[in-house]
Amino acid sequence: MSALRFRVGLTRQSIRTRISLRGTLPVCSQARHVKTPAYDGHIPLNWAENAFMAVGSAVMSLLDPRRGDMIAALGETTAGNSLYKLREQMLESPEGRRILKERPRVNTDTVDMTKLAQLPEGTFGRTYVQWLERCGVTPDTREPVHYIDDPELAYVIQRYRECHDFYHALCNLPVNVESELALKWFEFVHFGLPMAGLGAVFGPLRLDATKRARLFREYVPWALRCGASAKPLIAVYWEERWEMNVADMKRELGMWDPPEAIWSKKLSEAKKAKLRKEQANASTTPEA
């Protein structure tokens, strides 16, 4: 009888231990399948669907790096527990907590680009607008999040996605392949997102031997050191720093410039091209 009581007690203790351990695991590691959407645009996936989407988006991203939707899907389906780490970084600072509470978005509806263009030279806002003009890009092209179950974690990866161009502007890097790969190495070290690591590893296959050698000789050492030393960028309220001097900003964030990038055209040429485009659009617009 005493042996039976001992075995029953051991079984109860084992069950309690398993329940306790299970309660400490992140939701994503329990392969929970959400049957109904948790937010607008949410597409719930079970573990098999998530794996299929991860493999498919990875293949499509390699075949056509211009497929922003596939790159976004790859980032979401491979994010895993890295998003929990990023959220913890945001919760550890008052600035990051306000971002999670207020959930600001970065696009032309929420950011007054005309006002930023009028800021003094050398400010973050002016630098950001000049970078957009020079590269001919807009913040309105970022894909919405679909495959992250938790609404707050979905915002975390959306925030990461929409702030990507800020790192380009701060580091004075264009949108060519070499510069994107340099930032992918930086982001993998800094944010720990698997998607950035995949891009850093397989992306160099698209470069010729000369550019690949420069990437690993100059940009990767910068990315490894700078990415590891920079303060958590996910917790930076960028919209409150438009008027801050870029040099001061980089010192505060623990960042420094990468090796000088090769731009396809100078800033003055980009401004002239923009002016010609605006004049052409004005001449073709019918009068009211």
Side-chain angles (χ1 to χ4, degrees):
M1 180 65 70
S2 60
L4 178 61
R5 281 198 297 266
F6 172 78
R7 288 160 67 179
V8 171
L10 181 61
T11 302
R12 289 175 178 171
Q13 180 63 33
S14 300
I15 293 173
R16 284 196 295 269
T17 301
R18 283 199 293 267
I19 292 175
S20 175
L21 288 174
R22 186 177 61 183
T24 63
L25 292 174
V27 172
C28 66
S29 67
Q30 298 176 28
R32 180 175 60 88
H33 177 41
V34 182
K35 296 182 180 180
T36 57
Y39 52 88
D40 289 342
H42 178 215
I43 303 175
L45 301 176
N46 60 35
W47 70 267
E49 293 167 336
N50 189 87
F52 180 81
M53 177 64 74
V55 173
S57 59
V59 172
M60 291 301 299
S61 298
L62 287 173
L63 294 176
D64 186 0
R66 295 170 296 181
R67 288 289 301 272
D69 57 336
M70 289 293 98
I71 294 175
L74 177 63
E76 295 170 34
T77 53
T78 61
N81 292 336
S82 60
L83 294 182
Y84 288 89
K85 174 187 174 183
L86 295 182
R87 181 170 64 180
E88 285 302 312
Q89 290 178 351
M90 299 177 79
L91 291 172
E92 288 173 358
S93 73
E95 196 170 347
R97 290 193 293 272
R98 283 197 300 109
I99 296 172
L100 282 176
K101 180 180 179 180
E102 299 171 10
R103 299 193 180 185
R105 299 294 301 274
V106 181
N107 53 58
T108 54
D109 291 328
T110 61
V111 179
D112 189 341
M113 299 296 175
T114 303
K115 182 178 180 181
L116 296 188
Q118 297 171 352
L119 291 174
E121 193 75 31
T123 58
F124 172 56
R126 177 75 172 270
T127 299
Y128 173 57
V129 170
Q130 287 178 340
W131 182 87
L132 291 173
E133 292 176 351
R134 190 173 184 182
C135 295
V137 298
T138 170
D140 295 332
T141 58
R142 296 301 175 189
E143 287 286 326
V145 177
H146 295 298
Y147 307 113
I148 302 297
D149 290 342
D150 186 296
E152 190 168 61
L153 295 180
Y155 174 74
V156 171
I157 197 168
Q158 186 75 49
R159 180 67 175 176
Y160 153 77
R161 191 174 292 168
E162 293 181 354
C163 293
H164 175 78
D165 288 345
F166 294 155
Y167 317 142
H168 270 282
L170 274 179
C171 298
N172 194 33
L173 290 172
V175 291
N176 57 38
V177 177
E178 308 96 280
S179 297
E180 286 291 351
L181 289 175
L183 273 183
K184 279 291 176 285
W185 278 96
F186 173 89
E187 290 180 338
F188 178 58
V189 173
H190 186 75
F191 296 106
L193 290 169
M195 181 270 293
L198 291 171
V201 171
F202 292 104
L205 299 176
R206 300 171 54 209
L207 299 175
D208 60 38
T210 301
K211 292 180 179 179
R212 191 182 307 119
R214 188 185 184 216
L215 171 70
F216 286 101
R217 183 179 65 251
E218 300 181 13
Y219 286 109
V220 171
W222 163 82
L224 296 178
R225 293 194 299 269
C226 190
S229 68
K231 295 182 179 179
L233 300 184
I234 195 68
V236 176
Y237 213 136
W238 302 95
E239 296 88 339
E240 296 181 348
R241 298 168 181 251
W242 296 128
E243 299 181 9
M244 190 172 181
N245 180 270
V246 168
D248 295 337
M249 201 169 170
K250 283 188 283 192
R251 277 194 293 270
E252 177 192 337
L253 298 176
M255 299 177 63
W256 59 89
D257 292 333
E260 187 175 357
I262 300 175
W263 286 76
S264 59
K265 54 185 176 182
K266 297 179 180 179
L267 181 59
S268 58
E269 295 174 350
K271 289 182 176 180
K272 291 178 181 178
K274 181 188 176 186
L275 180 60
R276 288 194 297 269
K277 183 177 180 181
E278 291 175 347
Q279 291 173 342
N281 291 337
S283 63
T284 57
T285 302
E287 296 182 1

